Amino acid sequence: MRTPLIAGNWKMHMTVNEAVELAGAVARLSSDARDREVMIAPPYTALFEVARALEGSNVLLSSQNVCWEEKGAFTGEISPVMLKDIGCSMAIIGHSERRHVFGEDNKMVNKRILGAQKFGMVPVFCIGETLDEREAGHTFKVLESQVREGLVGVEISDPATIVVAYEPVWAIGTGKTATVVQAQEVHAFVRELLAGMYQKNVASEIRILYGGSVNPENVDALMSEEDVDGALVGGAALKPELFDRIIHFQ
Ligand code: 13P
């Protein structure tokens, strides 16, 4: 049984006060969520206060990235130990904006995943093809190298220790969602890949989220697909009334 996970990636939005208010709203909206999990990933500056605002709620807290080292000369980075220290249990890694705007490659993504796991954080490992790659017919090849290179040396014996998120780059922030058929096709492919890399009973339990313009109108159809185990939501996660409907997908 894969428990659905609805995750909000707030990206570079929200001052501390705004974040605490939104987190409080998400905590209230999620209080009746029994058969699903809810996670939010505020910007670093708000994590500490948001962690306090989430105390006693069932909302999980994630960072939007994480360094692979515990401490040291890594200007501008935040370590998994620091994040765990403030109550952050998950870390988004390899998001398309990290890859395409900040030049992070599969190798760096791999280091971050290894680092997160080493210190007991759950990586939300993002993969996704660009429009050019899809149109050139390279979708599966690109995703396969992202998965294989991103997971070099990563041991997964407990499926709860990692989450994969498929976010087609062309669907992020564009209002253009993958069709449910496109999403299911990729999710099934990724699960098959994982089954070849890890024990089958473990791979079959790893959650694979879909991200890219998820909204109240398309969430039910996406979540009805066999291998879609949740959503990684950007824009709509900033609006409580939209995120509410997404959390309560049917
Ligand atoms: P949007 O939902 O705004 O398309 O963003 C998706 C995303 O990048 C979540 O990580």
Side-chain angles (χ1 to χ4, degrees):
M1 250 301 283
R2 301 188 296 265
T3 305
L5 172 63
I6 301 297
N9 174 9
W10 294 3
K11 307 192 179 184
M12 199 171 73
H13 294 284
M14 301 282 148
T15 61
V16 175
N17 285 343
E18 290 166 347
V20 166
E21 192 178 322
L22 180 57
V26 174
R28 282 191 296 280
L29 299 173
S30 307
S31 58
D32 62 350
R34 307 256 175 271
D35 57 349
R36 56 201 66 188
E37 291 181 348
V38 178
M39 173 271 255
I40 54 175
Y44 286 124
T45 46
L47 282 173
F48 181 79
E49 290 296 339
V50 166
R52 297 211 296 201
L54 292 180
E55 268 171 26
S57 82
N58 49 18
V59 179
L60 299 162
L61 187 61
S62 174
S63 59
Q64 298 177 15
N65 207 350
V66 63
C67 189
W68 50 90
E69 292 287 344
E70 179 182 351
K71 58 183 166 188
F74 297 93
T75 302
E77 290 285 327
I78 309 279
S79 98
V81 174
M82 294 169 180
L83 291 166
K84 283 201 72 185
D85 183 45
I86 58 158
C88 198
S89 60
M90 306 176 87
I92 296 174
I93 297 175
H95 189 276
S96 93
E97 286 140 25
R98 297 306 317 171
R99 293 175 185 267
H100 298 287
V101 184
F102 298 98
E104 296 194 12
D105 58 9
N106 290 337
K107 219 172 162 148
M108 183 175 288
V109 170
N110 176 242
K111 283 170 86 166
R112 293 190 190 278
I113 292 174
L114 286 166
Q117 283 199 328
K118 180 172 171 194
F119 294 101
M121 294 187 85
V122 174
V124 180
F125 169 33
C126 301
I127 55 172
E129 82 288 1
T130 63
L131 186 58
D132 284 351
E133 288 163 345
R134 178 164 279 269
E135 287 178 344
H138 295 155
T139 298
F140 294 103
K141 196 176 81 184
V142 169
L143 294 171
E144 178 162 359
S145 45
Q146 288 178 342
V147 170
R148 289 197 189 282
E149 292 172 34
L151 294 177
V152 170
V154 176
E155 283 171 31
I156 308 174
S157 51
D158 174 356
T161 57
I162 192 159
V163 173
V164 177
Y166 169 55
E167 297 205 306
V169 180
W170 47 272
I172 296 176
T174 57
K176 204 171 157 186
T177 327
T179 64
V180 289
V181 175
Q182 287 170 324
Q184 169 58 26
E185 188 183 32
V186 166
H187 285 225
F189 171 78
V190 172
R191 196 176 304 287
E192 198 57 39
L193 255 180
L194 294 171
M197 300 166 68
Y198 299 99
Q199 287 190 337
K200 288 212 164 29
N201 60 330
V202 173
S204 67
E205 289 297 308
I206 294 174
R207 289 178 290 184
I208 307 175
L209 316 184
Y210 168 80
S213 298
V214 175
N215 61 43
E217 283 73 50
N218 58 29
V219 68
D220 296 341
L222 285 161
M223 290 303 297
S224 71
E225 288 297 325
E226 172 68 23
D227 288 292
V228 178
D229 308 315
L232 185 51
V233 186
L238 299 172
K239 303 206 170 78
E241 66 283 6
L242 301 185
F243 200 52
D244 182 20
R245 177 62 184 82
I246 295 171
I247 292 170
H248 295 97
F249 71 87
Q250 288 147 13

